Amino acid sequence: SGDMYNKGGNMLHTLRQLIDDDEKWRLILRKMNKEFYHQTVTTQQIEDFLCKETGFDLTPFFNQYLRDIRIPTLEYSIKKGQLSYRWNNVVSQFKMPLKVIIDGKKTWIYPKENWQNLKLNKNSIFSIDPNFYIFHKRTN
């Protein structure tokens, strides 16, 4: 199948969103190109390099996007001014933060496999930044 090309591109775009700094992202890519120029490298070398350069433990991220066929699903509900959310369809320890829009303002939430809660205004408008390679499902 050809889904590895789309999935790889979407994974890199999601990683770029997590870094949340396009200049830093470009510098990381340039440094990776310089460091591994004309070399055959392993997946582990690239993962280690990206973990070091981003300052993030990306192990669960890579386990999810490289070693698992499932696309993460954000399950959420909004009831009585409270947003409840969690990751489903994910590998163990997957805790990728996610940029969302609440009442027109971008903010980060930090879903885990167990339900998290965030108080909202009674009539808040909630949406998910479309730049992340995930599914989402409202449960109410």
Side-chain angles (χ1 to χ4, degrees):
S1 87
D3 85 321
M4 74 280 259
Y5 299 108
N6 292 331
K7 187 175 182 180
N10 286 325
M11 181 196 75
L12 288 172
H13 185 69
T14 297
L15 182 54
R16 174 183 168 209
Q17 298 309 305
L18 289 174
I19 292 169
D20 201 26
D21 180 338
D22 280 347
E23 184 58 30
K24 181 177 181 179
W25 177 241
R26 281 189 286 279
L27 290 172
I28 289 170
L29 292 177
R30 287 183 189 121
K31 186 173 182 179
M32 185 168 55
N33 187 41
K34 185 177 180 181
E35 185 158 324
F36 298 115
Y37 184 71
H38 282 312
Q39 293 182 40
T40 301
V41 296
T42 66
T43 302
Q44 193 60 55
Q45 285 175 286
I46 299 300
E47 288 178 38
D48 291 345
F49 175 86
L50 289 170
C51 287
K52 179 182 168 216
E53 293 301 316
T54 63
F56 300 144
D57 176 8
L58 296 168
T59 304
F61 176 86
F62 289 127
N63 285 341
Q64 180 68 46
Y65 285 106
L66 295 179
R67 298 177 187 90
D68 198 282
I69 62 170
R70 298 171 295 169
I71 298 172
T73 301
L74 180 76
E75 290 184 334
Y76 70 97
S77 66
I78 300 173
K79 294 178 185 169
K80 298 181 183 177
Q82 179 170 284
L83 170 68
S84 298
Y85 56 92
R86 72 173 180 176
W87 284 124
N88 194 2
N89 216 27
V90 293
V91 298
S92 178
Q93 303 302 309
F94 186 79
K95 298 181 266 190
M96 182 176 76
L98 185 64
K99 196 181 294 180
V100 298
I101 300 114
I102 300 173
D103 297 330
K105 229 176 136 180
K106 289 187 178 186
T107 190
W108 290 91
I109 60 173
Y110 300 88
K112 299 176 183 173
E113 290 177 83
N114 57 324
W115 288 99
Q116 308 291 308
N117 297 302
L118 179 67
K119 188 157 179 58
L120 300 176
N121 295 322
K122 187 176 180 181
N123 296 315
S124 284
I125 298 171
F126 173 80
S127 63
I128 299 163
D129 187 316
N131 286 301
F132 287 79
Y133 185 47
I134 66 162
F135 290 131
H136 55 88
K137 178 173 89 174
R138 189 167 179 164
T139 60
N140 63 337

